[in-house]
């Protein structure tokens, strides 16, 4: 019959119907029928052959986080599928819309320890928003439709679709008349009006109010609404690690980042405030420190689309379940009279002045401008030059890996736009940056995409440099902050383990030569006088470039909240500073 399709063809057409533009993956035994079919649709579905499934997953995350669209990654059964587990968990922690497609052994041998059989739906059950084991061709189109709907709606997250090989090989006439039926899945997008009025009452009466902006603001597209609420009330704004970019750092009301490596004045402001409006942040322990001592004087208003997050870590006075954009709009509608608003503005202005005095006292970013007594290249020299350069150019994205360099980037660079700062926050996945930058670069071909890595994380997934080369991505640049240690763990060992550097001294190859082996331009920088020239050369190069910044080895990230301590108990460090 001419209209018959294989399950693999139906899968391709289902993805096209979901407006999928690009997929990141690796073929293998069980998923091979899908790859055979993909050839027919190659003009509509771009496939990026990664060097490891973990890289494919992080690339799909980078694509999703920089666009807000659903990222797609592919693996075969068994090890191909289990290699996707880390990026799936990463996407779950950071609320990234992701659909992972995996091939499964034939349904006839399921449960018989067939070659490359693994129960990937069982493995990923705790780290996916939902997952499917599809054993019949009749269920493929519906499963794909439902998977994309679940991944992108409510609190975004990863969904896995595992399809048996015989379902991909079977044939049928597809039925595209699909009506989703999800009676147990009804995200609440609109906050309760009574609770919104109570939130506005608390905010209006506050003497020391704060707004905390999290990742949910960016994901909901609520940037404009956040600006309007903040500016009409005059309330200072804190941006979490994932909230960076949701409120520009050059705005006079933005006071900076809170948490374990947040600024001293920001953490102290949280400990002093009397009302804290948290929009789209989940109060993770890197923000709160010892949760029972977090914001002890504040009545907390928590806005989150995921009801399970509210009250989980911090006691909440006013819970509001809803989409950040809708709730912010509703809060703006409930703004008080002009007179009451003027009074709030006056109190908020005095409060902001007090915070700025604390900032001046604790030097904020200035602490890094006084160089220590060393001629060695400091990490801060790199960030200062890179920030100057990127601000001048304007059109850029930065993807950071995990560790000291990640915190320095969050602290020291200027973040002015949403979706320009992309990092692994919740899972803290080393090896995230290079493949994620690849996904960002594909999604944003006119932007320069910088991946900032430590020498440890870089060595975990740098094989994707070849994928970047094969795809002809000329807009990717990599900066390795190379200190010869797993730096953040070394810092903990220095501060809390008497400098017993167990398992943290780290060697590596010559990164410049490694880059050249991949066909990239490689640069090594060891002197501060060479930093700007290297960055300018990278920008001027029509192709991917890696710069190996060999920095002072034992530099710490300050301030720091020790594990189990309140955010009011920061170690401010010695002035490197």
């Amino acid at each position: 019959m001419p209209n018959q399709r294989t399950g693999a063809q139906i899968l391709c057409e289902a993805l096209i119907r979901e407006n999928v533009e690009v997929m990141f993956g690796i073929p293998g035994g069980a998923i091979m029928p899908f790859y055979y079919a993909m050839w027919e649709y190659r003009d509509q579905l771009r496939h990026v052959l990664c060097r490891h499934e973990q890289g494919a997953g992080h690339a799909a995350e980078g694509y999703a986080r920089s666009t807000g669209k659903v990222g797609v990654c592919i693996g075969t059964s068994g090890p191909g599928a289990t290699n996707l587990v880390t990026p799936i968990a990463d996407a779950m922690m950071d609320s990234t819309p992701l659909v992972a497609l995996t091939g499964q052994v034939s349904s006839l041998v399921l449960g018989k320890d067939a070659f490359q059989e693994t129960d990937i739906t069982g493995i990923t059950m705790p780290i996916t928003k939902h997952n499917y084991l599809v054993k019949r061709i009749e269920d493929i189109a519906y499963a794909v439709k439902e998977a994309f709907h679940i991944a992108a709606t409510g609190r975004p997250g990863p969904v896995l679709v595992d399809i048996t090989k015989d379902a991909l090989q079977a044939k049928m006439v597809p039925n595209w008349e699909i009506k989703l039926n999800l009676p147990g899945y009804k995200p609440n997008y609109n906050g309760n009006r009574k609770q919104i009025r109570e939130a506005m009452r608390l905010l209006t009466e506050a003497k020391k109010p704060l707004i905390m902006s999290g990742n949910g603001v960016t994901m909901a597209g609520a940037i404009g609404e956040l600006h309007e609420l903040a500016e009409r009330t005059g309330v200072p704004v804190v941006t979490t690690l994932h909230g960076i970019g949701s409120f520009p750092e050059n705005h006079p009301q933005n006071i900076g980042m809170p948490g374990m490596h947040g600024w001293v004045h920001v953490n102290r402001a949280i400990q002093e405030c009397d009302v804290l409006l948290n929009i789209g942040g989940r109060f993770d322990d890197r923000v709160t420190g010892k949760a029972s001592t977090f914001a002890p004087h504040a009545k907390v208003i928590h806005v989150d689309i995921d009801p399970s997050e509210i009250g989980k870590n911090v006691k909440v006075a006013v819970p509001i379940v809803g989409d950040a954009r809708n709730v912010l709009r509703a809060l703006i509608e409930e703004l008080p009279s002009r007179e009451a608003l003027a009074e709030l503005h006056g109190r908020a202005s005095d409060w902001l002045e007090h915070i700025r005095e604390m900032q001046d006292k604790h030097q904020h970013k200035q602490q890094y401008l006084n160089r220590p007594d060393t001629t060695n290249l400091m990490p801060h020299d790199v960030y200062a030059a890179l920030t100057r350069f990127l601000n001048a150019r304007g059109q850029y994205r930065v993807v950071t890996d995990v560790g000291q360099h990640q915190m320095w980037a969050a602290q020291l660079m200027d973040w002015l736009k949403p979706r320009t700062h992309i990092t692994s926050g919740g899972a803290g996945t080393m090896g995230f940056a290079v493949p994620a930058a690849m996904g960002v670069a594909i999604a944003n071909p006119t932007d320069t995409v910088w991946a900032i890595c430590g020498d440890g994380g870089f060595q975990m997934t740098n094989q994707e440099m070849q994928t970047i080369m094969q795809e002809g991505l000329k807009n990717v640049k990599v900066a390795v902050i190379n200190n010869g240690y797993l730096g953040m763990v070394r810092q903990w060992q220095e501060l809390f383990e008497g400098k017993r550097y167990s398992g943290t001294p780290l060697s590596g190859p010559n990164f410049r030569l490694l880059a050249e082996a991949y066909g990239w331009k490689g640069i090594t920088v060891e002197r501060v006088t060479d930093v700007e020239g290297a960055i300018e050369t990278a920008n001027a190069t029509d192709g991917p470039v890696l710069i190996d910044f060999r920095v002072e080895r034992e530099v710490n990230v300050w301030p720091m909240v020790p594990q189990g301590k309140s955010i009011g108990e920061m170690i401010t460090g010695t002035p490197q500073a």
Side-chain angles (χ1 to χ4, degrees):
M1 292 178 63
N3 292 328
Q4 278 198 332
R5 297 282 190 275
T6 65
Q9 289 172 316
I10 291 171
L11 177 56
C12 288
E13 293 179 16
L15 294 170
I16 292 168
R17 287 169 181 266
E18 295 299 327
N19 298 313
V20 172
E21 302 164 326
V22 60
M23 306 178 293
F24 304 87
I26 301 179
I31 197 71
M32 273 198 296
F34 179 41
Y35 275 79
Y36 297 153
M38 208 186 289
W39 180 256
E40 301 171 38
Y41 302 90
R42 61 189 181 280
D43 293 337
Q44 295 163 278
L45 291 172
R46 178 180 178 181
H47 177 264
V48 176
L49 174 62
C50 297
R51 298 303 182 268
H52 192 284
E53 287 86 356
Q54 182 183 353
H58 292 320
E61 284 191 276
Y63 175 88
R65 294 189 195 191
S66 67
T67 62
K69 301 176 183 176
V70 177
V72 179
C73 55
I74 306 166
T76 192
S77 62
T82 57
N83 286 343
L84 287 172
V85 167
T86 295
I88 288 172
D90 194 87
M92 187 70 176
M93 292 289 280
D94 288 347
S95 306
T96 303
L98 185 80
V99 169
L101 301 170
T102 51
Q104 183 54 277
V105 301
S106 170
S107 60
L108 299 175
V109 293
L110 266 177
K112 300 182 184 297
D113 291 337
F115 176 67
Q116 291 191 331
E117 180 186 3
T118 298
D119 178 12
I120 193 64
T121 51
I123 290 171
T124 59
M125 188 173 292
I127 56 168
T128 51
K129 215 175 154 186
H130 195 56
N131 65 21
Y132 303 82
L133 172 57
V134 180
K135 296 186 282 188
R136 302 186 323 139
I137 184 174
E138 293 86 351
D139 298 332
I140 291 175
Y142 183 89
V144 170
K145 181 85 175 173
E146 195 172 277
F148 275 79
H149 175 74
I150 291 173
T153 54
R155 177 180 177 176
V159 179
L160 179 133
V161 183
D162 191 36
I163 308 175
T164 60
K165 190 170 185 177
D166 54 320
L168 290 170
Q169 292 172 319
K171 290 185 176 180
M172 66 172 283
V173 176
N175 176 15
W176 298 113
E177 298 297 322
I178 300 170
K179 291 184 180 180
L180 295 181
N181 179 25
L182 293 162
Y185 179 70
K186 293 180 179 177
N188 182 9
Y189 291 94
N190 299 306
N192 179 280
R193 184 59 70 163
K194 184 177 177 182
Q195 291 166 331
I196 287 169
R197 290 194 186 106
E198 175 62 9
M200 183 50 68
R201 185 188 69 78
L202 290 178
L203 202 63
T204 304
E205 295 175 356
K207 295 178 180 175
K208 296 181 175 181
L210 278 181
I211 295 173
M212 180 179 289
S213 177
N215 194 23
V217 171
T218 301
M219 289 192 297
I223 309 298
E225 286 78 7
L226 175 64
H227 271 68
E228 183 174 353
L229 181 71
E231 290 178 349
R232 290 182 69 179
T233 59
V235 175
V237 177
V238 170
T239 49
T240 67
L241 180 66
H242 274 311
I244 282 176
S246 63
F247 198 72
E249 292 196 344
N250 60 357
H251 193 288
Q253 288 172 241
N254 188 327
I255 62 171
M257 185 178 76
M260 176 176 281
H261 294 295
W263 294 111
V264 174
H265 68 279
V266 178
N267 285 344
R268 293 199 170 156
I270 289 172
Q271 296 305 80
E272 284 189 31
C273 74
D274 58 359
V275 170
L276 178 64
L277 169 58
N278 178 5
I279 307 166
R282 60 185 177 84
F283 287 125
D284 75 38
D285 61 301
R286 286 294 174 109
V287 169
T288 64
K290 185 179 179 182
S292 62
T293 63
F294 179 76
H297 309 296
K299 292 178 180 174
V300 174
I301 305 160
H302 191 183
V303 180
D304 203 298
I305 199 163
D306 184 351
S308 69
E309 290 295 341
I310 294 180
K312 186 170 80 175
N313 298 325
V314 168
K315 184 179 178 182
V316 174
V318 181
I320 303 176
V321 177
D323 171 81
R325 189 177 186 186
N326 291 351
V327 173
L328 279 164
R329 281 178 175 168
L331 283 166
I332 291 167
E333 289 171 6
E334 296 294 337
L335 283 169
S337 66
R338 183 175 297 179
E339 292 75 15
L341 206 52
E343 290 179 11
L344 171 59
H345 224 286
R347 292 194 299 273
S349 178
D350 293 342
W351 166 229
L352 182 59
E353 186 178 342
H354 171 65
I355 295 170
R356 293 302 183 196
E357 288 172 356
M358 289 195 289
Q359 179 177 355
D360 291 341
K361 182 179 177 182
H362 296 291
Q363 298 180 306
H364 191 26
K365 295 182 182 180
Q366 299 299 317
Q367 67 170 309
Y368 289 111
L369 298 183
N370 301 317
R371 290 181 56 79
D373 185 21
T374 175
T375 58
N376 293 340
L377 178 62
M378 295 291 288
H380 320 121
D381 297 325
V382 177
Y383 291 101
L386 195 56
T387 299
R388 282 195 298 274
F389 176 81
L390 293 179
N391 284 350
R393 190 179 187 280
Q395 201 162 351
Y396 62 88
R397 314 265 175 164
V398 175
V399 183
T400 62
D401 214 83
V402 172
Q404 287 182 308
H405 71 277
Q406 176 192 33
M407 294 298 108
W408 283 320
Q411 291 178 337
L412 300 175
M413 299 183 75
D414 293 334
W415 303 106
L416 307 178
K417 300 177 183 176
R419 300 192 188 279
T420 57
H421 171 263
I422 295 165
T423 195
S424 170
T429 303
M430 291 177 66
F432 172 84
V434 171
M438 173 169 64
V440 175
I442 286 174
N444 305 275
T446 61
D447 290 354
T448 300
V449 181
W450 280 87
I452 303 179
C453 312
D455 46 323
F458 172 70
Q459 292 187 75
M460 292 183 175
T461 54
N462 66 51
Q463 73 277 2
E464 300 303 339
M465 292 171 70
Q466 186 57 43
T467 313
I468 290 168
M469 198 67 192
Q470 184 169 324
E471 290 296 312
L473 302 176
K474 299 179 179 180
N475 56 334
V476 179
K477 319 294 176 183
V478 172
V480 181
I481 309 299
N482 183 355
N483 60 10
Y485 279 113
L486 296 174
M488 190 62 90
V489 182
R490 184 212 59 77
Q491 176 171 333
W492 281 58
Q493 291 172 335
E494 175 191 330
L495 298 177
F496 309 117
E497 298 293 339
K499 290 194 172 185
R500 292 182 296 179
Y501 294 159
S502 174
T504 49
L506 180 71
S507 65
N510 183 314
F511 293 147
R512 177 182 65 79
L513 296 178
L514 179 70
E516 290 173 359
Y518 280 122
W520 290 40
K521 183 175 183 56
I523 303 172
T524 302
V525 175
E526 296 180 295
R527 300 181 304 178
V528 65
T529 51
D530 295 333
V531 172
E532 291 211 6
I535 294 170
E536 288 174 2
T537 299
N539 180 60
T541 301
D542 186 26
V545 179
L546 177 147
I547 308 177
D548 178 13
F549 291 106
R550 296 183 179 177
V551 301
E552 173 73 29
R553 297 194 70 197
E554 297 188 27
V555 182
N556 293 335
V557 182
W558 305 115
M560 178 180 184
V561 177
Q563 188 175 18
K565 298 290 186 181
S566 158
I567 61 169
E569 300 176 272
M570 291 160 282
I571 305 173
T572 54
T574 53
Q576 333 168 348

